[in-house]
């Protein structure tokens, strides 16, 4: 009589039938819960749109000079946004540790316990630890990822977007400076926050390039920037003979509008956490076959 659990029915760790567990997808990014972060997260896209509308005539008059002059301001605004409103990459463990520290602080302590430190010579006087060092550590923990995200965006994302602009119809032999500056603006809009919150997590970037991330303010603004630039290119070949149809004015205007719309719409309950699906999920396909 055969044993109910024969060796042939047990999968060994090295057997090919046992597939390795896939890394779970990173959840959507939430805006920080502070009142300042919540308020500025809504004000930031409005500020960008207002500045774009204010400098639009100067952009039409001299695109290259205006794009170059506005680039440092855009970088400063994006750095301020990510530091005020978004959690930097790899903060899950830090937040868990902070929560544990808060629980320890809330627990009652005996005055005679070993954890209470008294200043010698003054009984009953608890030593107050200065919070200056911790505040500087907190600022540095946000400032360093912000500048790293700005560096990666400038050195990597800008050339990639410039190549994509050329592949999608931007002039190759002329207007090279305008193409690079337009790509730099689009990179700051779309990639700065992505690098800040996700770092170099390959699984997340695979989802980004596959347009498979769950909707949030960061992913929505990046996707909106690309879609807005694509729609903004539509008026360029039309024979309206308007000064604002020159490359890359409409593309950049569409990118800014798309950034603002994507950032705000992706936070609504109807869109937040949803994914773009180009095909039914494998589980749904199996159910259809069985039915």
């Amino acid at each position: 009589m055969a044993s109910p659990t024969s060796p042939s029915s047990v999968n060994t760790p090295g057997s090919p039938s046992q597939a390795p567990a896939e890394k779970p997808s990173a959840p959507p990014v939430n805006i920080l819960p502070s009142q300042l972060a919540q308020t500025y997260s809504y004000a930031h896209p409005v500020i960008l749109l207002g500045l774009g509308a204010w400098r639009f005539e100067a952009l039409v008059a001299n695109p290259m000079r205006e794009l170059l002059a506005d680039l440092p301001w855009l970088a400063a605004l994006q750095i301020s946004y990510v530091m005020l409103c978004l959690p930097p990459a790899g903060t899950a463990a830090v937040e868990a540790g902070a929560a544990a520290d808060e629980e320890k602080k809330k627990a009652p302590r005996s005055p005679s316990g070993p954890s209470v430190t008294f200043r010698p010579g003054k009984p009953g006087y608890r030593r107050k630890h200065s919070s200056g060092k911790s505040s500087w550590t907190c600022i540095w923990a946000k400032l360093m990822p912000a500048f790293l995200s700005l560096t990666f965006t400038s050195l990597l994302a800008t050339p990639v977007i410039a190549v994509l602009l050329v592949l999608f119809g931007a002039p190759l032999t002329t207007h090279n400076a305008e193409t690079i500056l337009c790509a730099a603006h689009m990179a700051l809009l779309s990639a700065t926050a992505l690098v800040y919150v996700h770092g170099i997590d390959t699984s997340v970037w695979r989802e980004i390039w596959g347009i498979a991330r769950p909707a949030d303010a960061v992913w929505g603004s990046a996707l909106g920037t690309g879609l807005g630039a694509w729609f903004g290119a539509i008026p360029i070949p039309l024979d309206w003979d308007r000064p604002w149809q020159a490359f890359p004015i409409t593309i950049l205007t569409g990118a800014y509008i798309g950034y603002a719309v994507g950032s705000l719409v992706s936070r609504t309950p109807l869109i937040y956490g949803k994914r773009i699906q180009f095909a039914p999920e494998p589980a749904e396909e199996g159910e259809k076959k069985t039915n």
Side-chain angles (χ1 to χ4, degrees), residues 51-52 54-73 181 185 252 256:
L51 291 176
W54 176 46
R55 302 302 301 172
F56 185 75
E57 292 184 1
L59 179 64
V60 174
N62 193 331
M64 187 172 70
R65 183 180 65 186
E66 188 62 27
L67 289 175
L68 187 60
D70 292 343
L71 200 59
W73 294 103
L181 289 173
H185 277 255
L252 199 60
Y256 273 82

Side-chain angles (χ1 to χ4, degrees), residues 135-278:
S135 63
W136 274 110
T137 303
C138 182
I139 294 174
W140 181 253
K142 289 178 171 289
L143 190 62
M144 189 62 180
F147 279 103
L148 285 176
S149 64
L150 183 64
T151 302
F152 280 111
T153 297
S154 303
L155 298 180
L156 299 178
T158 300
V160 171
I161 295 178
V163 171
L164 290 176
L165 287 174
V166 173
L167 293 177
F168 276 93
L172 178 60
T173 58
T174 59
H175 299 80
N176 293 328
E178 286 86 346
T179 301
I180 295 175
L181 289 173
C182 179
H185 277 255
M186 291 179 61
L188 286 174
L189 289 172
S190 60
T192 306
L194 285 174
V195 178
Y196 182 81
V197 299
H198 297 304
I200 55 174
D201 192 336
T202 55
S203 61
V204 173
W205 284 98
R206 196 179 299 114
E207 289 181 341
I208 292 172
W209 286 109
I211 317 181
R213 284 291 302 156
D216 53 38
V218 177
W219 171 232
S221 59
L223 187 60
T225 300
L227 290 176
W230 185 71
F231 281 109
I234 294 176
I236 293 179
L238 302 178
D239 55 351
W240 295 344
D241 297 328
R242 298 291 191 271
W244 50 264
Q245 288 181 263
F247 174 83
I249 297 173
T250 58
I251 293 177
L252 199 60
T253 302
Y256 273 82
I257 295 175
Y259 173 88
V261 173
S263 176
L264 297 175
V265 171
S266 60
R267 297 176 61 184
T268 60
L270 186 63
I271 305 296
Y272 179 80
K274 303 295 194 316
R275 300 173 187 266
I276 300 176
Q277 292 187 3
F278 298 100

